[in-house]
Amino acid sequence: MGAAASAQGDDAWALYRRGMEERAAGRLDAAIAMLDRALQRRPDFPEALCAGAYILQMRGHAAGALAFYERALTLQPDDAVAWFNRGGLLMAAGRAEDALQSLERACALQPDNAGFHCNRGGALFDLGQLAEASEAFERAATLDPGLAKARLNLGNALMRLGFYHDAREAYLRAIAIEPVYALAYCGLGIVSKELGLFDDAMRAFDQALAFDPNSEEARSNKGCLQLLLGDFASGWEGYEYRWTKGKRPVPVSSARFNLGAPESLAGRKILIVNDHGLGDTIQFFRYVALLARAGAQVTFAGPRKMRRLLASAGAPVVWRDECDLSGDFDAVLAISSLPRACGTRLDNIPAETPYLFAEPDRHAVWRGRLCGEGLKVGLCWRGNVDFRVDPRRSIPPEALTPLAGLEGARLFSLQKGARAEELPPELARKVENLGEEPDSGPYAFIDTAAMMTELDLIVTCDTSIAHLAGALGRPVWVALRHIAEWRWLDGREDSPWYPKMRLFRCARGDDWAEPLGRMAGQIRKAWALQ
């Protein structure tokens, strides 16, 4: 290197150090100016590129930050901190798989860095690799016993895996490390609820809110617990915070509707927006129909594929795409907010069924397809398998085996995407699979609703099939975990939402064999089967 190049390099380092001093002092504009000058003198300066990338990252300029990190890592591929920061940037952008690759490089370069392993666990968690995520969080907690975040994240992963007692211990250890930790108290509340420790759960949510009164997670989970316990007056208020930040479709509405006074609703222009899964849409569409029949001018922004089924309610509703929120309305609110807006309590749930109906022509087709003697039972055992939606509501196929012994019964699969090999052999031989034809068109549940009308009983897990059967007024038996979702309340064998529904809960945790065996016994008794 010549003397001029050496002097230029020294000058670049001096500018870099001044830039870092400015960054440490919080003067980011001055820091960027110094780093830019350093890079003008030495374009292949990985330390300055990384420092500039970090400032861009802090300021939300993700694309520029990513370009800087990638240039720096081309020049200096063994920079663990750059790989770590790049991973964090990709995580924030929702690119968990790419983030994991960066974080694994960081961990390989600095295997004893607890923070690196903790973030690697976060990427694994987002990818649904929960067992691997829990191992990464354990490693982080072992490397740094004072890292409360690692214990918190470990609790989150263990809870998703269903290891509730271990998850509870992880949250308690996080709190022991950091006593003022709202997120850990919120996690403790959720897992305590799953364990049936409702008083402990309520105290944990209250403590979380004492530390962070604006915690939407604590407010929504406390609201769900109150709903589970039948306290609808308080529960609906917390339930309004059920969306993660940035996912709320419409603001919280102050609108209130008196279904008992139609004159107060006549002419009111109301936009109702779909907000959750198809089961929620079916359950709460009863309110849409009631408001429209009471004289309100109701527009429903919902999934196009649900339109034909919901139109069977016969209510005068204007339909539009769920992304179209334009126009002037007296009230705009999410469909799942309608029970709150209508002042719903346990003793006044509008539970008249059926409020949805099978289409006559489709009913005629399936009447012919399902004709014949014997008790006709429809089966659905699997809901959404996305770990964020709680796939543990699904019934393990082997638990359905007792139904195979129902002599004189015909079993029909209502399971979308069912595969014969996923059922136990003795059951697979008995279940009639109706092929790929049902609901293969652009509209959901049209054929399923028609099939249900010809069935004597529907046996299902907690999924949209349960709500559809209930809305059609069909006899439906639902298998639930010991502590189920709030809408099934606690300990009840009936549902105030659907009069012809019966609930069969696991006696302990996820012991599915017990309620399915009980179902089989009660089917034999009710229909005098062998």
Side-chain angles (χ1 to χ4, degrees), residues 11 58 79 86 142 145 172 207 213 251 274-275 282 307 320 365 383 483 524:
D11 190 25
M58 290 171 61
D79 187 339
R86 180 178 183 271
T142 301
L172 288 170
Q207 190 63 70
N274 203 63
D275 63 329
I282 294 169
R307 197 168 295 179
R320 63 163 60 173
V365 169
I483 304 297
R524 284 192 183 90

Side-chain angles (χ1 to χ4, degrees), residues 273-292:
V273 182
N274 203 63
D275 63 329
H276 281 315
L278 301 184
D280 299 82
T281 306
I282 294 169
Q283 180 180 5
F284 298 126
F285 192 78
R286 68 187 74 199
Y287 291 96
V288 179
L290 288 169
L291 289 169

Side-chain angles (χ1 to χ4, degrees), residues 305-379:
K305 65 181 179 180
M306 294 290 286
R307 197 168 295 179
R308 268 178 63 179
L309 173 70
L310 300 178
S312 72
V317 174
V318 176
W319 308 92
R320 63 163 60 173
D321 185 81
E322 58 190 321
C323 297
D324 183 1
L325 308 185
S326 62
D328 294 325
F329 295 90
D330 299 317
V332 178
L333 67 166
I335 192 171
S336 298
S337 297
L338 288 175
R340 172 179 177 262
C342 293
T344 302
R345 303 294 181 262
L346 268 180
D347 61 358
N348 69 357
I349 291 174
E352 183 178 347
T353 59
Y355 57 87
L356 297 180
F357 303 87
E359 295 180 355
D361 60 337
R362 301 312 301 161
H363 183 197
V365 169
W366 287 102
R367 183 189 299 121
R369 291 279 301 272
L370 301 178
C371 66
E373 299 298 319
L375 174 72
K376 299 169 188 174
V377 181
L379 297 181

